[in-house]
Amino acid sequence: MNPLTSADDAALVQAYLNHVRVEKRLAERTVALYTLDLEKLAAQAREAGVALTAVQNPHMRRWVAQMHGAGRSARGIALILSGWRGFYVWLGRQGLIGHNPVQDVRAPKAGKPLPKALGVDESVRLASHHEAADDPALEARDACITELLYGCGLRIGELVGLDVAASGRARGWIDALDGEAHVLGKGAKRRSMPVGRQALAALARWLELRGAWAGEDPALFIGSRGQRLTPQHIRVRLKRRSLLAGLATPVHPHMLRHSFASHVLQSSGDLRAVQELLGHASISTTQVYTRLDFQHLAQVYDAAHPRAHTRTGQAPEAEAGTPEPGAPAAPAPRAPRHR
């Protein structure tokens, strides 16, 4: 590439950055990221000996493959391609190219991260925790919130939508006599699920003390001023409770929903039942918990089986501590405790 072409490329990049900064009013942080991405693009074009306006689809595919081979994450590549795609869309609008070379170029498919779930013992410790230093009503309320999130797998929006009693305007309520929670889930779909003994006991304790705070709001969960709690308030309280309970990881509401689904699946193996309890429209959404379940089984295997080390690629010498035939077997893992 001759110096003139290189200068032309630099001018085009600068003109585009001015466009996104002034006309599109993108944040400076975003403009800074676009600058880095376009500098990378210009460097790739120089190395290939082509001007930015002459880049073709095969060039893009090769550069994506090189980034992937160098260890760049799928998400990182997707973000870079997004910046490049916007640049070439702009070039097309200026009449400088006849075809967008980023069209139909996609980043490698990223694996879906596993949802974060607590272990059974951690979940029980959080639900059973009692903070004696708190106001009794506050402690009873937070304990009830925790029991319902873990015991029913509620979404936080479903939890805050609960009212004390059923009514034509209520988004959700708990029928303590029948032991059922009725909620309004995603897509305005109603569903019912059983409420366990521990959650019902926590609900009864909270209702005994709720009257001291009650105002006109029919919400089940209220603050000291009688107003319905917000999702953010519940997130803050749950995080605090998890830290006071001694958990290593701060807990958020959806983590308890994941824990509920994972523990029910581990105990029952009934994926369809878990789908119904969670209110998933598609079984494919629920199937992520089968991966969590396998992860749990793999951890049990690694901890308990005398030949497990070979599965992780360790050399045979690492098995020097393997018990000889006839030696006492390792204790079996405890089954999940049901609440």
Side-chain angles (χ1 to χ4, degrees):
M1 181 182 296
N2 61 55
L4 179 62
T5 305
S6 181
D8 291 343
D9 282 352
L12 287 176
V13 168
Q14 191 57 52
Y16 174 68
L17 293 174
N18 289 339
H19 163 71
V20 297
R21 180 184 293 108
V22 177
E23 296 183 34
K24 296 189 73 175
R25 297 183 179 181
L26 297 186
E28 283 301 320
R29 172 63 177 164
T30 304
V31 175
L33 293 175
Y34 278 12
T35 302
L36 294 175
D37 293 343
L38 292 176
E39 286 175 353
K40 182 176 182 62
L41 174 64
Q44 297 278 32
R46 281 196 303 272
E47 187 175 339
V50 295
L52 288 176
T53 52
V55 169
Q56 301 297 315
N57 191 269
H59 291 119
M60 285 291 174
R61 295 186 184 278
R62 183 168 69 249
W63 297 338
V64 167
Q66 288 172 350
M67 286 190 287
H68 185 55
R72 174 82 67 167
S73 70
R75 175 172 171 77
I77 294 173
L79 290 173
I80 290 173
L81 281 175
S82 177
W84 292 358
R85 190 174 290 111
F87 173 63
Y88 278 103
V89 167
W90 178 78
L91 287 180
R93 290 173 180 166
Q94 307 306 308
L96 298 174
I97 59 171
H99 175 72
N100 188 338
V102 196
Q103 185 175 344
D104 300 326
V105 178
R106 297 289 181 266
K109 190 173 181 180
K112 292 184 179 179
L114 287 174
K116 294 181 179 179
L118 298 173
V120 173
D121 288 343
E122 291 177 309
S123 301
V124 171
R125 188 195 316 169
L126 177 64
S128 302
H129 177 73
H130 179 79
E131 190 57 36
D134 280 351
D135 176 271
L138 188 63
E139 162 58 25
R141 186 200 66 187
D142 290 355
C144 185
I145 287 172
T146 307
E147 288 284 2
L148 288 175
L149 287 172
Y150 175 53
C152 300
L154 299 182
R155 299 180 178 95
I156 189 169
E158 296 167 348
L159 182 86
V160 299
L162 292 174
D163 281 359
V164 172
S167 71
R169 294 182 298 175
R171 291 169 52 195
W173 63 91
I174 295 177
D175 187 333
L177 291 178
D178 289 341
E180 291 185 349
H182 305 274
V183 299
L184 186 67
K186 283 188 175 180
K189 293 181 180 178
R190 290 199 173 274
R191 78 178 191 283
S192 301
M193 72 284 297
V195 181
R197 176 174 52 84
Q198 298 283 2
L200 288 173
L203 175 64
R205 287 193 297 272
W206 161 234
L207 290 177
E208 287 176 3
L209 299 172
R210 179 185 176 278
W213 293 353
E216 298 298 322
D217 203 312
L220 175 59
F221 294 114
I222 56 176
S224 58
R225 296 181 180 179
Q227 296 179 328
R228 187 183 299 268
L229 293 186
T230 65
Q232 181 58 25
H233 192 116
I234 290 176
R235 291 188 187 98
V236 170
R237 296 298 303 178
L238 187 59
K239 179 180 179 181
R240 174 182 181 270
R241 184 178 182 86
S242 65
L243 295 174
L244 290 173
L247 272 64
T249 303
V251 175
H252 56 78
H254 220 65
M255 189 182 294
L256 290 181
R257 178 171 162 87
H258 293 322
S259 304
F260 163 84
S262 177
H263 300 164
V264 171
L265 185 60
Q266 286 174 18
S267 298
S268 69
D270 192 333
L271 192 64
R272 285 289 181 185
V274 174
Q275 178 192 3
E276 291 294 324
L277 290 168
L278 293 176
H280 287 161
S282 171
I283 192 73
S284 61
T285 308
T286 318
Q287 283 174 334
V288 67
Y289 296 106
T290 63
R291 296 168 60 202
L292 272 179
D293 191 34
F294 178 81
Q295 187 181 58
H296 164 76
L297 294 174
Q299 290 171 347
V300 170
Y301 171 78
D302 286 340
H305 198 283
R307 303 292 284 180
H309 294 302
T310 58
R311 193 176 73 88
T312 58
Q314 291 190 19
E317 288 76 8
E319 299 179 34
T322 301
E324 295 295 329
R334 288 187 299 164
R337 289 155 52 187
H338 299 282
R339 293 180 60 76

